[in-house]
Amino acid sequence: MARVTATTSDIEKAAGVLRAGGLVAIPTETVYGLGANAEDPSAVTRVFQVKGRPPSHPLIVHIGGVEHLDAWGEDVPATARLLAERFWPGPLTLVLRRGRRAPLEVTGGLETVAVRVPDHPVALALLSTFGGGVAAPSANRFGSVSPTTAQHVRVELGDAVDFVLDGGPCEVGVESTIVDATGDTPSILRPGGVTREDLEAVLGRPLAVPATSRVRVPGQHPSHYAPRARVVLVEPEKVIAEAELAQELGHQVGVFVPPALADTVVKAHAVVTVPGSMAAYAHGLYGFLRELDQRGCDLIIASLPVEEGLGLAIANRLRRAAGPRPS
Ligand code: TXA
Ligand code: MG
């Protein structure tokens, strides 16, 4: 269970800020969100401004329970209902046809809407007290590493957010899995906290995952989830040699040492030993990237985990962190 410091009066205050059109940072089991009343277009517009995110990039609406599904989505297919009932509250976002409560400001002008019920006591208490939907992208500036503690949010957004609800460190540590559930054949748009294997077990059939999450196509990924340091991915057995070479060439190298090489002494500026369990790795991933930035690394050498279970989401984030930067 997350270490929760938000009190009942904090939750009431946060609901008041949302009602008044303000922005609240909310803890979830995945990452912290930058929340606004989803039905208040000017509050939603402020979310885009604070993040520096293009308005065509839609937000996820957080709702208090599966009973709100039909207000936010329309013509919800039976498969979507099944997934919602099985995985909510939890790190699964369903893309549905836009329902009557979902304004176009939230959906970036699309006729579909992304919805989820977060599995965090503070978020659920806020949603229940507030009563409406909370539109919340991850509470970071566009393209940078998502926050997994309240302190990350305070450092990154400062006064731009009206209130920060502290719900302790996020348990899962990577964002929700986004499933396109508009039709009868769902597909994964973004791998995340609910594994492909768990989804397939419930659906009883294989799920399509976008090619970009598996195959590295240079030039095609906008840099996302990215620290300031450049991230370079190499084969696990080459991590240490590449890191030491780059350090010798004058870089301040941060290295993600694979679990199998945990005891090796590495001549680099900063060393993170990658946890062997994928749950622990996902939980720590964004914190590791932030830490290496803070320690002044200009280059991070890492390898990809096996792309099974949570390893799929971790590999997706590392690839995107290593992608080209927006100029
Ligand atoms: O775990 C999470 O999902 C976190 C927490 C705060 O809930 N939120 C999050 O939001 O990661 P954000 O805004 O950083 O990412 C939302 C993603 C974007 O990539 C966006 O393109 C996609 O959801 N999305 C939103 N609405 C969509 C839609 N109608 N169709 C397709 N993709 C959509
Ligand atoms: Mg994000």
Side-chain angles (χ1 to χ4, degrees), residues 49-118:
Q49 285 164 354
V50 167
K51 268 192 77 89
R53 172 161 167 163
S56 57
H57 210 92
L59 307 182
I60 295 173
V61 178
H62 297 71
I63 58 176
V66 70
E67 66 275 16
H68 303 293
L69 192 57
D70 293 292
W72 293 91
E74 194 168 278
D75 293 338
V76 176
T79 33
R81 229 174 270 286
L82 173 69
L83 293 175
E85 270 154 21
R86 174 61 183 77
F87 293 104
W88 286 353
L92 175 70
T93 295
L94 296 173
V95 173
L96 304 166
R97 287 186 53 198
R98 187 169 70 91
R100 63 181 188 280
R101 289 187 77 170
L104 287 167
E105 283 79 6
V106 169
T107 69
L110 296 175
E111 285 305 328
T112 55
V113 62
V115 187
R116 86 178 189 99
V117 179

Side-chain angles (χ1 to χ4, degrees), residues 139-157:
N140 53 282
R141 307 270 178 199
F142 188 57
S144 74
V145 178
S146 301
T148 50
T149 67
Q151 188 57 17
H152 294 162
V153 180
R154 291 188 194 105
V155 168
E156 186 152 344
L157 299 182

Side-chain angles (χ1 to χ4, degrees), residues 9 21 32 35 39 47 52 72 149 184 192 245 280 305:
S9 87
Y32 275 74
E39 289 165 287
V47 170
W72 293 91
T149 67
D184 289 328
L245 178 62

Side-chain angles (χ1 to χ4, degrees), residues 174 191 212-214 216 221 233 278 281 285 303-322:
V174 293
T212 48
S213 72
R214 316 215 99 218
R216 175 104 165 84
H221 301 267
L233 300 175
M278 286 300 121
Y281 191 1
L285 177 64
S303 61
L304 296 178
V306 176
E307 292 178 60
E308 290 166 8
L310 282 172
L312 185 64
I314 295 167
N316 171 272
R317 303 306 187 270
L318 286 171
R319 280 205 181 88
R320 294 187 69 174

Side-chain angles (χ1 to χ4, degrees), residues 191-245:
V194 169
T195 66
R196 172 194 192 160
E197 293 84 348
D198 284 348
L199 289 164
E200 289 178 342
V202 167
L203 293 171
R205 60 164 176 241
L207 265 180
V209 177
T212 48
S213 72
R214 316 215 99 218
V215 185
R216 175 104 165 84
V217 186
Q220 207 168 299
H221 301 267
S223 176
H224 230 98
Y225 313 102
R228 279 193 309 275
R230 192 159 64 91
V231 177
V232 172
L233 300 175
V234 302
E235 294 304 317
E237 61 278 8
K238 293 194 178 140
V239 164
I240 290 173
E242 294 282 340
E244 292 188 336
L245 178 62

